[in-house]
Amino acid sequence: MMDDLLRATFARQEELVPAATPELGESIVVGARRLRALRRWVFSGLTFLCSILTMLLMPLLNSPRPAPPAAAPPPGQPLNLLLIGIDRGSGEPARVNANAIVLLHVNPGARTAYAVLLPRDLMLDLPGLGPQRADGAYLVGGYRLAADAVAGLTGLTLDGGAVVDSSGVEAVTRAVGGVDLCTPDCRHYDAHEAVVRLRLSVSSGDGQVLHQYLTELAKAAARNPAVLAALSRALELHLGPISLAELSRRVSAIDPAGVSAVKLPVGPPGADGLYDAMRNGRVGAWLDAHPQWSSTRR
């Protein structure tokens, strides 16, 4: 009975099937070809797209992974900061020569700080450019290139630093109400006068005025921590692994009487001894042995 039912069903369906004419056969063949072509195009297109994506992503996949950021020096350990002073007037290009380059060695454990004024004509080895004057390093590659060149010369690990425009110095000096400087007459300097005097002192290579100015700032910071906040707003900061809060805490520990200016040795015993003392946190002992390179000891 089931067989009869199935035969009857197939018979009814056969009536709906079109006759197998030559035209129908050709249509089936053409349709099959189009389906195979569509499949080939889809496969080829996906393969091409994957190839393009692979070529775009391979440089990223093969590039070395960025190293994790260096850890900040432990509390109490010396910090080495690079300060670059520029004088950018209105209408001048965005980047100019550095008119002051200062290595600031801060030793919170000993509550001392040493400012080493690097001569503007000091020769630095710039990658791809060879020996170039220090004041031109900032012009060529900004703070990063100048810092890399100074680190290469001295062997120091720079923990950060800043670019200081003369207008920023004036703003900070105004925030502390001016400074007392002896040049040689001792008197109070307002913000504009202090900037002019600093510029003249740095140009002549005399670190005494810079020392006095940094000492006054240290005194102001000890009295009012907000001075450091004003200073941060006036600077282009490059702090690296150390935070501004941590830097402020360590710098505020410096005794104003412990700030010294150091001249870069140009003859025996040479600057290498100073750089080594900075690497090992023994600048005070080095100055005791070579007092002629201190701008603040008599």
Side-chain angles (χ1 to χ4, degrees):
M1 183 176 179
M2 181 62 69
D3 292 342
D4 294 338
L5 181 60
L6 289 174
R7 280 194 292 271
T9 301
F10 282 122
R12 287 194 300 271
Q13 294 297 325
E14 287 176 356
E15 296 176 357
L16 300 176
V17 176
T21 62
E23 291 80 5
L24 178 60
E26 182 66 21
S27 297
I28 293 175
V29 172
V30 171
R33 288 174 179 171
R34 288 178 177 173
L35 181 59
R36 287 194 298 269
L38 178 61
R39 288 173 178 171
R40 285 196 302 269
W41 279 108
V42 170
F43 179 76
S44 300
L46 290 175
T47 302
F48 178 74
L49 180 60
C50 290
S51 301
I52 293 297
L53 291 176
T54 300
M55 286 188 291
L56 292 175
L57 293 176
M58 280 305 289
L60 298 178
L61 295 174
N62 291 334
S63 61
R65 297 294 187 269
Q77 293 297 309
L79 298 173
N80 295 304
L81 309 173
L82 181 66
L83 308 179
I84 297 179
I86 61 174
D87 190 2
R88 183 163 43 218
S90 59
E92 292 185 357
R95 189 169 290 158
V96 295
N97 282 340
N99 58 18
I101 305 172
V102 179
L103 266 174
L104 185 62
H105 180 78
V106 179
N107 192 336
R111 302 188 67 198
T112 57
Y114 301 92
V116 182
L117 182 62
L118 302 182
R120 293 189 296 173
D121 59 357
L122 180 68
M123 300 306 291
L124 298 177
D125 188 14
L126 304 187
L129 298 174
Q132 302 287 330
R133 283 172 53 109
D135 59 358
Y138 178 78
L139 173 66
V140 173
Y143 177 87
R144 188 69 269 156
L145 180 63
D148 288 345
V150 170
L153 173 70
T154 62
L156 294 169
T157 297
L158 297 180
D159 302 295
V163 177
V164 189
D165 197 346
S166 57
S167 60
V169 175
E170 188 166 338
V172 171
T173 310
R174 189 178 302 111
V176 301
V179 292
D180 295 327
L181 300 175
C182 297
T183 64
D185 297 330
C186 298
R187 68 179 182 86
H188 188 78
Y189 283 72
D190 65 24
H192 179 70
E193 290 175 329
V195 168
V196 172
R197 192 64 190 85
L198 273 172
R199 186 184 294 117
L200 292 174
S201 175
V202 169
S203 298
S204 66
D206 179 10
Q208 292 191 56
V209 175
L210 175 63
H211 161 256
Q212 293 177 46
Y213 180 81
L214 291 176
T215 301
E216 289 293 302
L217 281 189
K219 291 178 180 177
R223 294 192 303 266
N224 183 6
V227 170
L228 290 173
L231 188 62
S232 69
R233 290 192 297 269
L235 307 180
E236 174 191 318
L237 291 175
H238 298 265
L239 294 183
I242 191 168
S243 68
L244 178 59
E246 179 63 14
L247 177 64
S248 299
R249 189 184 68 80
R250 298 191 192 189
V251 171
S252 62
I254 302 303
D255 183 352
V259 180
S260 302
V262 183
K263 294 177 288 187
L264 188 70
V266 293
D272 288 342
L274 174 59
Y275 299 149
D276 183 68
M278 295 176 74
R279 287 192 294 268
N280 294 286
R282 296 181 54 81
V283 180
W286 186 89
L287 281 177
D288 288 339
H290 308 94
Q292 69 272 27
W293 300 115
S294 172
S295 293
T296 51
R297 298 187 183 185
R298 290 290 182 265

